[in-house]
Amino acid sequence: MNKNVFIATVIILLSVLLASVIFFGGSKDGRDESVVVQNVEVVDGVQYVRIDAKGGYSPNITKVEANIPTKLIVKTRGTYDCSAALVMRDFDIKKTLKPTGEEIIDLGVLKSGQEIEGTCSMGMYGFKIVAG
Ligand SMILES: [Cu+2]
């Protein structure tokens, strides 16, 4: 009797182990790194780049077209952390963004290969815009 209980317990434990190996092993490739963020849009010949600022900047790297007027829209939504203190050295910009809203920054026409960087005032968060 006790032996049967022992065998049943072992079988249950082994099935749980097997199930978790299948479950966790299978989810290894399931991270959302492949999610494509569509944050560049051309409207009436102007290229708009959208960056979300809250607890950092997202997306981190944005590829844009060169040789077309480009504007950056930085969007805050309940942003009370330092990502609201935006610094863009290439444009001599230091701005404190409203906790919720949109700030439009004219980036002009970018040259191919040009990289623009934005950071929080302390430099711990950042994002990049790369013109192709
Ligand atoms: Cu910061």
Side-chain angles (χ1 to χ4, degrees):
M1 189 62 174
N2 265 346
K3 205 173 188 180
N4 284 342
V5 170
F6 175 72
I7 288 169
T9 309
V10 167
I11 288 172
I12 289 168
L13 284 178
L14 281 179
S15 347
V16 168
L17 190 70
L18 187 66
S20 57
V21 164
I22 290 169
F23 182 74
F24 290 111
S27 68
K28 202 184 276 178
D29 297 326
R31 287 189 236 147
D32 336 27
E33 279 169 26
S34 59
V35 169
V36 175
V37 184
Q38 195 59 52
N39 68 320
V40 182
E41 192 186 12
V42 177
V43 180
D44 293 333
V46 177
Q47 177 171 235
Y48 292 92
V49 183
R50 289 181 176 275
I51 302 282
D52 288 325
K54 185 174 182 173
Y57 301 100
S58 159
N60 268 125
I61 297 174
T62 302
K63 291 194 173 151
V64 300
E65 296 289 325
N67 308 316
I68 170 171
T70 303
K71 288 183 179 181
L72 170 65
I73 303 172
V74 186
K75 199 175 169 186
T76 47
R77 198 169 56 192
T79 305
Y80 294 99
D81 58 84
C82 63
S83 48
L86 177 66
V87 178
M88 296 186 72
R89 292 182 204 287
D90 312 275
F91 294 89
D92 229 356
I93 288 172
K94 270 189 183 178
K95 274 191 173 160
T96 305
L97 308 175
K98 279 182 261 169
T100 297
E102 287 186 348
E103 183 80 36
I104 299 175
I105 296 165
D106 197 345
L107 302 181
V109 176
L110 303 179
K111 284 176 250 160
S112 181
Q114 192 175 347
E115 281 191 17
I116 287 169
E117 217 171 6
T119 63
C120 70
S121 57
M122 297 179 296
M124 69 182 192
Y125 298 130
F127 65 90
K128 244 183 209 180
I129 294 168
V130 182

